[in-house]
Each structure stands twice: as C-alpha cells, then as structure tokens.
Amino acid sequence: MASQDWLDKDFYKVLGVSKDIGDADLKKTYRKLARTYHPDSNQGDAAAEAKFKEISEAYSVLSDPEQRKEYDQIRAMGAGGARFTAGGQGAGGFEDVFSMFGQGRGTRSQSTADFDDIFRMFNEQQGGSFGSGRFGQPTGGFRGYGGPTRGADVTARTTIDFLTATRGETITLQGEDGKPFKVKIPAGVSDGQKIRLRGRGRPSPDGGEHGDIVVAVTVRPHPVFTREGLNLRVTVPITFTEAVLGATIEVPTLGGEPVKLRVAPGTPSGRVLRVKGRGVETAKGTGDLLAEVQVAVPSHLDDAAREALERFQALEPKENPRGDLMAKARG
C-alpha cells in the first residue's frame, strides 16, 4: 500500500502537470525541472535542494504505472477532505481502512459488503457517528467491519553513494529495536525516494498484519556526474582549437573505462554529445551518457601563443557574433 503522506502531497502540482499527462511529456517536464533545481547548479541553495528532492519524489511515483495508479486511487479516496484519526493520536485511520482491502495488492480478499460498510461509515461521519464500526479504538484500529488492526509503519533513513544508487545493491541497516535488517536498493533509485518493506514494521496489537518499514534514501552528489532520469550527464572541457578544428576526445564513464567521442569542427560551447547505453541500467530500460562540451579559455598565454592568436584575430571573419542578439533586443 502506498505511503499515507500521499494524501497530503499533490505530485501533479509539484511538477506543474495535468493528471492526464503522458509518459513522454512527464519525463520532459521532469528533466527540465531537474536541470533547474539540481544541487550542482545551485550550490548552497537549501531551497533549490529541497525542491529538487520534492520533484524527484513526485517523478519516481508518477513515472511508475503501478505506483501512479495506486497514488491516484488513494488521492481520489481522500479528495472529499475526510480524515480519520486513530484514537485521537494523529493521522492513521486511512491506513487501517485501506488495510481491509488487502496490503500488497490482494493479500486478503473482501466481500462486496465490506466496501458498502466502509462507504456507509464515511457518510455517517457527517453526523458525528461511525456506527458500530467504531473508528477511534484506543489501539488506533478499526473494529467491527474489517477485522484486526494493522501494525504501525516504521521509518528508517540511509545515505548511499551515487554509484550504488545507479547500480543498486543490498545493504544492511539497523532497526529501531537494534536488530539488523537487509534492504535491496533498486538500480536507478532517486534522491529522496522511499522504499517500502512490506510486513517488516511493528506487529498488530490484536493479531492483524504487521506494518511496513519505510526507508527514505538520500543519494550523495557525484563530483562529475548528475542524473536526468535514466541518463547520466557530464561536462567535458575542450580547448578552443579542438572546438574550431575538431578533435577526438576521451570522456569518462561512471565506474568504467572512458569512451572516445568525435568533436566536429566548429562545435560551439554547450553542445551535447550522446553516448548510447552508458547511462543508468534498470529493469525499465537503460539511459545514455550526455557529454556537454564547454570551451575552456586559457588563463595564461606565453608570448609566442599570444602573437599567434593576435595573427589569427587579424585574419578571422569580421562579423559581429552579437549582432543578431542586439537586433532582437531592440525589437
């Protein structure tokens, strides 16, 4: 079952998209936002970092068809603003109600009467009574219609390096009871994403299902690479002469041998060269390596180099590269 905080988070609003957006447009929107708010582009900006984590979480849910369907269903159920509390101890009633439908998609079947009972209780809430179902038991559960109370979820956090996030790995964490437990980090996990271990949380107080362990993942930034979905991005400096005359250059790959790329003559600074299949590899597909070339300007020239450059300046075309910019600025 999806995390209860989905009721409070409008992932469509976070990404600024409509609820019927297609996968391609969703990915395009996410990439644009990720470039804008990525920590590497906003050093020391806590607000941008928080926004980046927020859009990453939203995209990780909406880009997964199964999670998106579950999210939409839960949001639709909570659209009326009804909130059920567990014995006055905060949000949690929805978890108990949804547990009657079967955790983990179909682990327990229910009759049609159960659904009727649930919706009847929602209607009765308007009159201030929950009927014989009795939400608000001291244990925080729901009795009378759905059976025993579901155990509470347990939260955990882990910080992993960039390479582990792209390739995936099984790691060991320590639970709140001091006992170690293993969690499989899937390849391509995003910074801020949550991993749910079903049935590994606190036990039910009355013989019901155990809660889950929810692991929040933080990914350390890489000094060279950044993520755009399944694609990896790297900035590669080139010299002025390499940009003008063309060259074959080496480009690093994540955890592998460098690859050689051809820079065409007249390549401008900022052009992106693509290396197919050298991005993040997951069960859903494999991304590419995007190498953005940036012309490096030398900070020091000896006399011979300066004289050669001055001779080139005398021979280069006299057109003003900013002429079109000025014309457009004047309108």
Side-chain angles (χ1 to χ4, degrees):
M1 179 170 176
S3 175
Q4 179 155 346
D5 61 6
W6 285 0
L7 284 169
D8 300 317
K9 294 184 178 181
D10 189 341
F11 291 146
Y12 295 102
K13 184 176 180 180
V14 168
L15 297 176
V17 298
S18 63
K19 293 183 179 180
D20 58 355
I21 189 171
D23 293 341
D25 290 336
L26 180 68
K27 181 182 292 186
K28 182 178 179 181
T29 300
Y30 166 72
R31 288 179 175 177
K32 182 177 180 180
L33 290 171
R35 284 195 295 269
T36 301
Y37 293 103
H38 198 282
D40 287 353
S41 303
N42 301 272
Q43 295 289 340
D45 189 337
E49 182 178 356
K51 182 66 175 177
F52 180 76
K53 291 182 178 180
E54 189 178 21
I55 62 179
S56 296
E57 180 186 13
Y59 180 71
S60 70
V61 172
L62 298 184
S63 62
D64 185 313
E66 192 171 333
Q67 286 196 67
R68 181 173 178 177
K69 180 179 178 181
E70 187 175 357
Y71 170 76
D72 288 342
Q73 290 173 343
I74 291 179
R75 289 282 296 180
M77 182 67 75
R83 297 222 172 213
F84 298 93
T85 61
Q89 300 301 314
F94 258 123
E95 290 285 350
D96 297 326
V97 173
F98 284 126
S99 69
M100 294 188 302
F101 292 93
Q103 301 299 323
R105 298 180 182 86
T107 57
R108 183 172 72 244
S109 61
Q110 293 290 330
S111 68
T112 304
D114 287 331
F115 288 85
D116 293 337
D117 291 337
I118 289 167
F119 288 110
R120 181 166 61 253
M121 289 186 297
F122 286 177
N123 292 330
E124 289 172 350
Q125 186 200 22
Q126 304 304 318
S129 171
F130 295 103
S132 61
R134 301 201 312 277
F135 279 94
Q137 292 287 342
T139 59
F142 163 73
R143 302 171 188 273
Y145 289 99
T149 308
R150 179 180 179 273
D153 289 346
V154 175
T155 59
R157 297 181 179 277
T158 185
T159 299
I160 59 176
D161 59 47
F162 192 88
L163 184 59
T164 298
T166 59
R167 293 185 173 180
E169 185 178 306
T170 297
I171 63 175
T172 300
L173 300 178
Q174 184 170 316
E176 60 180 12
D177 57 0
K179 295 180 180 179
F181 67 91
K182 293 184 180 296
V183 55
K184 183 178 181 180
I185 304 296
V189 67
S190 301
D191 184 53
Q193 188 172 332
K194 294 179 180 179
I195 300 173
R196 183 173 290 270
L197 306 180
R198 300 188 184 278
R200 304 282 296 277
R202 294 187 180 128
S204 165
D206 49 13
E209 295 181 353
H210 281 57
D212 302 335
I213 296 178
V214 182
V215 181
V217 179
T218 298
V219 180
R220 297 188 190 93
H222 194 279
V224 171
F225 298 96
T226 57
R227 284 268 306 275
E228 291 183 5
L230 296 182
N231 292 331
L232 294 174
R233 195 176 187 97
V234 59
T235 300
V236 184
I238 59 174
T239 67
F240 171 73
T241 53
E242 287 174 332
V244 174
L245 302 178
T248 298
I249 62 173
E250 281 193 338
V251 175
T253 61
L254 184 63
E257 294 296 321
V259 295
K260 291 186 176 181
L261 287 181
R262 176 63 184 170
V263 177
T267 293
S269 188
R271 176 168 291 177
V272 176
L273 308 178
R274 184 181 296 267
V275 183
K276 285 284 188 181
R278 298 307 291 266
V280 181
E281 183 177 352
T282 71
K284 297 180 181 179
T286 302
D288 302 330
L289 175 63
L290 308 178
E292 178 181 333
V293 297
Q294 291 289 340
V295 176
V297 178
S299 58
H300 175 74
L301 294 175
D302 60 24
D303 292 341
R306 180 176 296 277
E307 289 176 5
L309 192 57
E310 288 172 348
R311 289 197 300 271
F312 167 78
Q313 185 179 29
L315 296 173
E316 70 176 335
K318 301 305 178 184
E319 60 186 29
N320 183 358
R322 295 171 293 280
D324 188 51
L325 174 67
M326 297 303 179
K328 290 180 179 178
R330 287 192 294 268

